[in-house]
């Protein structure tokens, strides 16, 4: 049996619920099932776990609201159905969470939002703030303007990108199967659940088979999602969403579903990922105090510690941080553009708002987005 200690110790979970689980045999949303997951999420939160929900089901819910018996062929009709269904989806979550006094927030994003550096930082700041407020973000793809998940993923990839964005420890992909099998259980009675395998393992590719109907949300996209999540150190569990008390049982360390492991420690993985992401677009020169704070206490970089800046960077770009003697000490994603940085460098964070007329974050580079070199 695979040791589930890592799952048990995970503190930030991204939970993705697939379309097939959310609809009541084509008769609209399965409200009772949603209420069961919500009551389990309440238990997780009472145990100190932060939860981000990634929910599909907008297309399916929209189809039933519009009285469509079959999934339409055109992407524009799918998008229209998603726009209609999203209303019902968020209403249902909102109501279900209200019973536990938990607020929810609707977050519609797309893959570009999570790779464009500026939007990446904006999404990260908002989602982290929501988590600090004890709110459960309910994330879906913005299906009106993009079609990646409608066509291929049923939100598997999106959920992994959200796990990267928030440095989640665990990605839970709830599905209508028990987990991922080493061969098709419909043809092979000997088929066994895969468990405790590194997400990077190439054996998973053979086992994932084809993507199922239309290639949407099959095991192929789930393996891919697990690999993406592993980049920032998150483990992934693919597990049956209809198993009684599935989420609470996972938290208790029960051996359910398929655990695909990240072979890197979250911190190291995160930093490597960040470092490999981008070329630097500029340079900040730090005073001795700031260099010391960064290198010895792992804190964020504040504008007050910056002496000068070079380059034409914008918010979200990677910049190099150097000491007064020109030695590179760190790299990170900067919260303010070069022209904004010119105005606030050397200043205390309290003055940022009066100098710029607005304030994003206190830090010039947040410690989560900073890599020491
Ligand atoms: N974002 C879509 C949804 O929530 C993806 C699922 C699908 O294509 O059915 O409905």
């Amino acid at each position: 049996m695979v040791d589930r200690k890592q799952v048990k110790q995970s503190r930030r979970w991204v939970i993705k619920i697939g379309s097939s689980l959310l609809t009541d045999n084509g008769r609209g949303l399965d409200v009772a099932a949603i209420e069961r997951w919500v009551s389990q999420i309440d238990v997780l939160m009472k145990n100190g776990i932060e939860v981000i929900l990634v929910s599909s089901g907008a297309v399916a819910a929209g189809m039933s609201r519009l009285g469509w018996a079959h999934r339409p062929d055109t992407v524009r009709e799918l998008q229209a159905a998603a726009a209609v269904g999203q209303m019902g989806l968020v209403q249902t979550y909102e109501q279900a969470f209200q019973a536990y006094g938990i607020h929810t927030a609707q977050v519609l994003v797309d893959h570009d939002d999570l790779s464009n550096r500026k939007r990446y930082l904006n999404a990260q700041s908002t989602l982290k703030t929501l988590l600090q407020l004890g709110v459960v973000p309910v994330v879906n793809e913005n299906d009106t303007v993009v079609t990646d998940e409608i066509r291929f993923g049923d939100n598997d990839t999106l959920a992994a990108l959200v796990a990267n964005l928030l440095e989640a420890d665990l990605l839970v992909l709830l599905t209508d199967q028990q987990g991922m099998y080493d061969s098709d259980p419909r043809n092979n009675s000997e088929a066994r659940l895969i468990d405790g395998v590194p997400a990077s393992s190439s054996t998973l590719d053979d086992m994932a088979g084809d993507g199922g109907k239309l290639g949407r949300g099959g095991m192929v996209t789930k393996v891919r999602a697990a690999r993406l999540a592993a980049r920032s150190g998150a483990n992934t569990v693919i597990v049956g969403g209809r198993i009684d008390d599935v989420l609470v049982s996972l938290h208790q360390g029960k051996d359910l579903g398929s655990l695909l492991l990240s072979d890197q420690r979250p911190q190291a993985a995160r930093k490597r990922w960040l470092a490999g992401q981008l070329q630097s677009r500029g340079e900040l020169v730090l005073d001795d105090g700031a260099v010391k704070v960064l290198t010895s206490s792992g804190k964020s970089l504040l504008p007050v510690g910056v002496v000068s800046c070079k380059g034409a960077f914008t918010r979200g770009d990677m910049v190099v941080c150097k000491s007064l003697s020109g030695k590179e000490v760190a790299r990170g994603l900067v919260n303010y553009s070069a022209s904004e940085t010119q105005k606030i460098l050397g200043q205390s964070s309290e003055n940022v708002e009066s100098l710029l007329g607005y304030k994003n974050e206190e830090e010039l580079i947040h410690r989560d987005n900073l890599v020491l070199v």
Side-chain angles (χ1 to χ4, degrees):
M1 199 181 95
V2 174
D3 185 6
R4 289 296 184 103
K5 204 166 77 206
Q6 291 193 51
V7 174
K8 222 169 144 178
Q9 289 170 347
S10 296
R11 282 287 162 267
R12 185 174 284 175
W13 293 28
V14 173
I15 302 172
K16 181 251 162 172
I17 310 183
S19 294
S20 58
L21 286 176
L22 282 160
T23 44
D24 194 1
N25 285 329
R27 289 191 301 268
L29 288 168
D30 188 345
V31 176
I34 290 175
E35 285 171 353
R36 285 195 291 274
W37 291 309
V38 167
S39 90
Q40 294 178 59
I41 291 171
D42 174 58
V43 175
L44 296 182
M45 290 173 74
K46 289 203 168 104
N47 280 282
I49 295 169
E50 294 173 318
V51 176
I52 303 100
L53 205 54
V54 176
S55 180
S56 314
V59 171
M63 280 170 54
S64 101
R65 285 190 165 195
L66 293 165
W68 296 351
H70 303 286
R71 190 175 165 95
D73 296 327
T74 66
V75 172
R76 63 182 177 80
E77 284 169 303
L78 290 168
Q79 290 178 287
V84 174
Q86 182 66 20
M87 302 293 282
L89 203 58
V90 291
Q91 259 169 21
T92 310
Y93 280 117
E94 165 84 352
Q95 244 170 41
F97 275 105
Q98 237 163 38
Y100 301 91
I102 299 170
H103 289 299
T104 47
Q106 174 178 241
V107 178
L108 298 177
V109 285
D110 64 54
H111 294 192
D112 290 344
D113 292 331
L114 304 181
S115 54
N116 171 300
R117 312 313 303 179
K118 190 171 171 182
R119 290 195 243 157
Y120 174 94
L121 283 187
N122 290 343
Q124 190 184 53
S125 285
T126 309
L127 283 162
K128 282 190 174 170
T129 305
L130 289 168
L131 292 179
Q132 277 161 13
L133 293 168
V135 174
V136 175
V138 180
V139 182
N140 198 357
E141 186 182 53
N142 192 352
D143 292 317
T144 304
V145 292
V146 280
T147 57
D148 303 84
E149 299 288 348
I150 275 193
R151 288 181 301 146
F152 303 115
D154 195 29
N155 287 351
D156 288 333
T157 314
L158 191 74
L161 295 175
V162 170
N164 289 151
L165 183 80
L166 292 168
E167 301 140 73
D169 311 300
L170 187 67
L171 170 63
V172 179
L173 300 173
L174 294 183
T175 172
D176 57 359
Q177 292 165 43
Q178 297 293 306
M180 182 175 166
Y181 286 92
D182 58 0
S183 60
D184 190 339
R186 287 168 305 186
N187 318 328
N188 184 357
S189 57
E190 307 276 284
R192 284 185 316 132
L193 272 180
I194 294 164
D195 198 19
V197 177
S200 56
S201 167
S202 56
T203 56
L204 293 173
D205 297 315
D206 305 328
M207 295 169 184
D210 66 20
K213 216 174 12 158
L214 300 175
R216 293 171 49 258
M219 285 300 158
V220 174
T221 60
K222 289 184 174 51
V223 169
R224 208 174 131 231
R227 286 180 184 153
L228 285 174
R231 298 188 306 185
S232 56
N235 297 312
T236 297
V237 181
I238 303 169
V239 65
R242 295 201 182 94
I243 298 171
D244 275 348
D245 259 345
V246 58
L247 298 172
V248 174
S249 300
L250 284 176
H251 170 60
Q252 289 166 344
K254 292 203 181 125
D255 196 16
L256 295 172
S258 299
L259 172 62
L260 305 187
L261 294 159
S262 164
D263 37 20
Q264 308 178 61
R265 295 174 59 80
Q267 204 96 46
R270 164 88 188 152
K271 300 218 153 173
R272 205 164 78 184
W273 174 63
L274 253 182
Q277 277 289 298
L278 300 165
Q279 291 183 327
S280 85
R281 300 257 175 241
E283 209 178 281
L284 305 176
V285 177
L286 317 188
D287 65 19
D288 292 342
V291 171
K292 200 160 157 225
V293 165
L294 249 55
T295 49
S296 57
S297 44
K299 294 214 171 114
S300 300
L301 176 66
L302 301 176
V304 70
V306 179
V307 178
S308 64
C309 80
K310 254 195 343 217
F313 54 88
T314 61
R315 174 169 160 83
D317 277 343
M318 176 76 91
V319 294
V320 174
C321 302
K322 292 189 168 173
S323 68
L324 287 169
S325 62
K327 184 172 172 280
E328 182 174 334
V329 288
R331 285 174 173 235
L333 304 182
V334 68
N335 283 333
Y336 292 90
S337 71
S339 63
E340 291 168 328
T341 303
Q342 289 289 2
K343 290 186 193 140
I344 60 175
L345 57 81
Q347 299 283 338
S348 113
S349 299
E350 291 148 29
N351 298 339
V352 170
E353 191 162 1
S354 61
L355 288 164
L356 298 179
Y358 51 85
K359 179 152 102 178
N360 286 330
E361 289 87 6
E362 304 267 305
E363 311 84 13
L364 196 52
I365 303 179
H366 191 274
R367 64 171 184 275
D368 291 347
N369 297 321
L370 196 71
V371 194
L372 294 178
V373 289

